[in-house]
Amino acid sequence: MTDGGTASVRTRTVLRAVARAVLAGVLGAVAGIVAYSLSQTGGQSLSVVVGGLLGVAAALGGDLYRRSVQLTEVRLVLPGSEMTFKANTDMRQAAQRMFFQASTRIATRPLEDGSGNLREALTSLKTLFDLYREPLESGEAPPPPSHGDSVHELILDILNFELAPFLSKWHPRLQAFEQAHPDLDESAWPDNAAFRQELQTLQQNLRPYFVALGEIAGLRDPERHLRPSARRSDKPPSSPPHPLPGQRPATTDGTCPDPTPAADDTDDR
């Protein structure tokens, strides 16, 4: 999801909460008028105000209760640490966005030897780095929970311990080669093999973090979205179909055998 999409989702969530509060206030005011009319006591304006305040309080309390009852505890053992998350709706949504941003990029997809583009791989990793860092720097990340760890602490580990060291090492090296040899393909880069090897190591190191994001998001099987795509050549060959009545069976390559000449019923004379 893009930054604009994330802001749009956040805006719609806030607007829905405000709309519920206003609606509840109106209903509370109406309830106050009805209560006043039934009781026929003095102070109609006070009844309207009190009813409205009670309605707003009920809406806000209901929204807070809805978020609190959806708390889910997730315990994760990550490289060098063990973290416990009290995942509410906001935390699950943030983890889901970050999981999807990673699951479609080179951070999780294999780069086979002799294939792919190293410059595009570095650009993809830098884009992921910026997507993860932007909420932290802009102040849009929700405050840390009162109990347990925050999903953004997990993101800080990804940025500081994995992505930043890799990018700071390999981006200037590849850039120096490209500037010194603009007419050469990157396959001629002396560090090509070393880059690919360290990229595989980076992917292995990042995998537990991304699986953790998927588990916080509540995905049933986050590992499934990080596996390499199955190759068609790995599928066993299908058996030839059964012949129809009066039809010769097909051979293993799918073709029909050459028809055998019919026997001559006449005797040689």
Side-chain angles (χ1 to χ4, degrees):
M1 183 180 295
T2 62
D3 295 343
T6 301
S8 177
V9 170
R10 186 179 297 106
T11 301
R12 289 197 298 267
T13 301
V14 173
L15 290 177
R16 284 197 296 266
V18 172
R20 287 196 298 268
V22 172
L23 179 60
V26 173
L27 294 177
V30 173
I33 294 175
V34 173
Y36 170 79
S37 301
L38 292 176
S39 62
Q40 295 183 351
T41 60
Q44 181 177 3
S45 299
L46 180 61
S47 298
V48 172
V49 173
V50 171
L53 292 176
L54 290 176
V56 172
L60 296 178
D63 187 69
L64 179 61
Y65 175 78
R66 177 182 63 84
R67 292 178 179 274
S68 63
V69 296
Q70 293 182 3
L71 288 175
T72 302
E73 182 174 293
V74 181
R75 295 179 181 271
L76 300 172
V77 178
L78 298 168
S81 65
E82 180 175 350
M83 307 181 77
T84 301
F85 300 88
K86 300 286 187 179
N88 57 15
T89 302
D90 291 337
M91 186 180 295
R92 279 194 291 270
Q93 291 176 347
Q96 186 181 66
R97 288 194 300 270
M98 294 172 177
F99 178 85
F100 290 156
Q101 288 166 349
S103 62
T104 57
R105 296 182 179 275
I106 194 61
T108 59
R109 314 320 302 170
L111 186 68
E112 303 293 342
D113 291 341
S115 66
N117 184 281
L118 306 190
R119 168 52 61 192
E120 291 181 358
L122 277 174
T123 301
S124 178
L125 292 174
K126 179 60 168 60
T127 302
L128 182 65
F129 183 93
D130 293 338
L131 287 172
Y132 278 7
R133 185 178 59 179
E134 193 275 333
L136 303 177
E137 293 187 343
S138 65
E140 295 180 357
S146 56
H147 301 286
D149 297 302
S150 168
V151 68
H152 291 92
E153 296 178 66
L154 186 65
I155 296 304
L156 278 175
D157 288 349
I158 294 176
L159 296 179
N160 293 334
F161 301 148
E162 303 298 342
L163 287 178
F166 185 88
L167 289 171
S168 63
K169 175 180 179 179
W170 288 108
H171 173 72
R173 292 190 181 186
L174 180 57
Q175 187 177 42
F177 170 78
E178 292 170 336
Q179 293 175 350
H181 307 282
D183 56 332
L184 293 181
D185 185 78
E186 62 182 20
S187 59
W189 184 31
D191 290 334
N192 187 299
F195 174 91
R196 292 175 180 271
Q197 182 61 45
E198 290 202 17
L199 177 61
Q200 292 181 6
T201 302
L202 175 68
Q203 292 170 333
Q204 295 171 1
N205 294 342
L206 288 173
R207 190 181 186 87
Y209 293 105
F210 296 144
V211 172
L213 287 172
E215 293 182 0
I216 296 170
L219 300 181
R220 184 176 60 181
D221 183 13
E223 284 272 7
R224 181 173 68 89
H225 302 284
L226 304 179
R227 299 185 190 121
S229 302
R231 296 181 178 178
R232 293 190 178 186
S233 59
D234 295 335
K235 297 181 180 180
S238 57
S239 57
H242 295 288
L244 298 175
Q247 182 183 15
R248 293 183 178 89
T251 60
T252 56
D253 60 359
T255 60
C256 293
D258 295 334
T260 56
D264 189 359
D265 294 333
T266 58
D267 296 333
D268 293 334
R269 305 266 179 197

